[in-house]
Amino acid sequence: MIKRALTGAVCVATLVAGAFVGMNAVADEHANLIVNGEIEMVVRTEAPEHMENVDTIYSGWVYRATETQALQMDDFDNPGMLWVDQAAEYFETAQGPEGRSCQDCHESPEALAGVRAVYPKWDEERGVVQTLENQINECATERMGLEPLKYTGSEMVNMSALLASVSRGMPINVAIDGPARETWELGKELYYQRTGQLELSCANCHEDNYGNRIRSDMLSQGQINGFPVYRLKNAKLNAVHSRFKGCVRDTRAQTYAPGSAEFVALELYLASRGNGLSVEGPSVRN
Amino acid sequence: MKRSVSILIAVLATGGIALGQGMSPADVSYDEYGAVEVSLSGQPGNAEAGEKIMTTRGKGNCIACHQVDALAEYPFHGEVGPPLNGVADRYTEADLRGIVANAKMTFEGSIMPAFFKNSGYIRPGIAYTGKAAGPGDLFPILTAQEIEDVVAYLLTLKE
């Protein structure tokens, strides 16, 4: 409580000092994230070895205003949890021609704890890197006889939020060696490619300028450990490929499609830049 | 539809200096330091119009990345580029014109977008739609005259 009040005082001071350029309240950069008073999140840690230009990785939570940060600290305040509850119902509901539910194979959502943390992941049988969404659709179509869920549609995003929620606090740990390497390399290439009429790469903003403001927004490292993300901006859960699309569009570039090989590769690469941060989804951002 | 009509007009007006449209990006001559000596529009810039472009999203929106104390009445200045206070003391008009038109000619690899360029992109889209730009869909982000207006405004930033 004392710490909260202190942070508030710092914010007021910052507001006064920054008033002439109209800055928002800046979050305490040393704040720690503990959800429901029990799930301790790693929001800053040493960068994985493969990252050449960054020493410390930070969750996007670190860059948000104190009020936004607080929304993620209690599930009753986190609007994203409403859709997690919906997905939990879906999980139990028998459907499709054979009247099967997720529960028939997976005892409970909690039985899938840890899954989110290792996706995207090489799928031996299919010979490709699969995202969690691909895996959910594999279950839906092959085991339940359903039509595939729309890649960034609400049912899929909700299910992805449910699976993230049961892995919260576990470290992201995607594999980038072995057969996944080629996909990872493609993702890395895309990360550094300057696209669109603004000629911006992911790295221009999220590696070279994290912590700097772009107009009213503070640039983060573009970590994806918090997806799906509840955004105050559109008041809903956002899939990671939807966010990619928005970012690429904002460089005045032709975007890739959600679920495309390019976005799967980019997701693997970005996930690997967050190896060591905690699974946070559904997180809250602006 | 309205777009394609204006493209047509733009195309018809190429060589448009005579029509007061100014040069096209391909006509701009940068010196070895990236500076551009002559007005892109053939006309002087208007500093007041430049201020508007500097602060308008979807135009220059220069303050998205640069702090400008003289524009403090407009909220939220960015920190990605250097502050522009006193920029007219550090650069000549030709330097500033070159930097605004295509900063990469002055600062290799700069993050700053080129505001007077319409080709040579990877996966260009139609403005902020995310859709692929076909031939004829790409316009410089600012017109020749708008570049001149921004340069005129920057020249007022003296310390």
Side-chain angles (χ1 to χ4, degrees):
Chain A
M1 199 57 208
I2 289 175
K3 194 164 172 221
R4 259 281 163 88
L6 268 180
T7 314
V10 171
C11 284
V12 171
T14 312
L15 268 176
V16 172
F20 75 101
V21 287
M23 290 170 81
N24 286 335
V26 177
D28 171 5
E29 63 177 300
H30 302 295
N32 288 316
L33 173 56
I34 301 173
V35 174
N36 301 332
E38 59 181 20
I39 310 172
E40 290 191 28
M41 302 286 189
V42 175
V43 294
R44 58 181 74 71
T45 190
E46 201 183 328
E49 216 166 280
H50 68 79
M51 285 171 74
E52 293 143 16
N53 309 318
V54 174
D55 294 328
T56 306
I57 52 176
Y58 300 94
S59 162
W61 183 84
V62 170
Y63 298 97
R64 304 286 51 108
T66 312
E67 305 78 36
T68 310
Q69 289 186 332
L71 291 174
Q72 204 187 318
M73 299 175 85
D74 190 311
D75 284 354
F76 286 107
D77 295 330
N78 181 344
M81 293 308 289
L82 295 172
W83 290 287
V84 167
D85 290 344
Q86 279 189 18
E89 277 177 40
Y90 181 98
F91 193 92
E92 299 175 346
T93 308
Q95 45 191 324
E98 292 155 55
R100 303 184 73 178
S101 72
C102 306
Q103 202 170 242
D104 290 348
C105 294
H106 310 286
E107 195 178 310
S108 65
E110 289 73 21
L112 293 165
V115 172
R116 168 70 273 177
V118 296
Y119 273 83
K121 183 182 161 188
W122 178 256
D123 184 295
E124 199 58 57
E125 206 174 299
R126 298 184 171 225
V128 290
V129 168
Q130 292 229 107
T131 61
L132 190 56
E133 286 83 352
N134 295 144
Q135 190 58 53
I136 290 168
N137 261 341
E138 190 179 314
C139 281
T141 58
E142 294 180 15
R143 310 223 207 323
M144 297 168 80
L146 301 173
E147 289 295 310
L149 308 183
K150 187 167 174 269
Y151 197 88
T152 55
S154 59
E155 282 180 336
M156 180 64 92
V157 179
N158 295 352
M159 188 54 67
S160 148
L162 174 66
L163 294 186
S165 72
V166 296
S167 290
R168 284 185 295 172
M170 300 173 86
I172 301 279
N173 184 24
V174 296
I176 61 171
D177 48 4
R181 192 71 186 183
E182 201 180 318
T183 303
W184 183 84
E185 295 283 0
L186 170 63
K188 183 176 180 182
E189 192 182 313
L190 292 168
Y191 184 85
Y192 287 102
Q193 185 175 62
R194 298 185 68 162
T195 63
Q197 196 168 7
L198 300 188
E199 298 174 284
L200 293 171
S201 68
C202 307
N204 284 138
C205 286
H206 298 291
E207 184 169 271
D208 301 339
N209 280 291
Y210 60 85
N212 285 332
R213 283 180 184 279
I214 185 155
R215 206 80 202 246
S216 65
D217 193 24
M218 183 174 277
L219 291 165
S220 73
Q221 283 189 341
Q223 293 288 353
I224 61 171
N225 59 307
F227 279 88
V229 169
Y230 178 84
R231 294 190 74 189
L232 301 173
K233 181 178 176 174
N234 58 16
K236 63 171 193 174
L237 278 182
N238 293 263
V240 69
H241 286 200
S242 302
R243 190 69 195 91
F244 291 172
K245 200 174 158 184
C247 250
V248 175
R249 179 199 63 213
D250 288 348
T251 71
R252 295 174 77 121
Q254 177 192 2
T255 62
Y256 299 98
S260 63
E262 288 86 356
F263 273 175
V264 170
L266 185 61
E267 182 181 341
L268 175 64
Y269 178 68
L270 285 176
S272 80
R273 292 174 68 96
N275 272 348
L277 294 175
S278 302
V279 175
E280 278 183 37
S283 65
V284 182
R285 303 286 188 261
N286 55 342
Chain B
M1 202 56 208
K2 199 168 167 215
R3 252 279 148 95
S4 39
V5 172
S6 45
I7 298 169
L8 192 62
I9 292 169
V11 169
L12 289 174
T14 313
I17 293 175
L19 293 168
Q21 298 288 315
M23 52 180 97
S24 69
D27 301 330
V28 181
S29 163
Y30 295 85
D31 74 14
E32 61 179 310
Y33 303 107
V36 176
E37 284 297 336
V38 296
S39 165
L40 303 185
S41 64
Q43 304 291 323
N46 174 334
E48 217 170 294
E51 174 173 332
K52 185 123 208 197
I53 295 161
M54 297 272 304
T55 52
T56 306
R57 286 189 169 84
K59 281 288 182 187
N61 199 17
C62 309
I63 59 171
C65 291
H66 300 280
Q67 191 183 327
V68 187
D69 289 350
L71 298 175
E73 64 186 286
Y74 303 91
F76 305 124
H77 296 204
E79 305 165 324
V80 171
L84 299 179
N85 305 322
V87 79
D89 299 327
R90 300 191 288 279
Y91 295 101
T92 67
E93 178 183 330
D95 293 336
L96 291 170
R97 183 179 290 114
I99 293 169
V100 176
N102 185 352
K104 294 176 190 73
M105 306 299 277
T106 303
F107 306 112
E108 199 187 334
S110 171
I111 184 177
M112 183 169 158
F115 287 87
F116 200 64
K117 179 175 163 175
N118 62 349
S119 62
Y121 301 117
I122 298 169
R123 294 179 68 84
I126 301 174
Y128 295 101
T129 64
K131 296 191 169 67
D137 284 333
L138 288 172
F139 307 87
I141 297 168
L142 298 179
T143 66
Q145 186 58 42
E146 286 169 335
I147 300 279
E148 293 306 318
D149 294 343
V150 170
V151 170
Y153 177 77
L154 294 174
L155 287 169
T156 69
L157 297 177
K158 294 191 167 128
E159 275 176 336

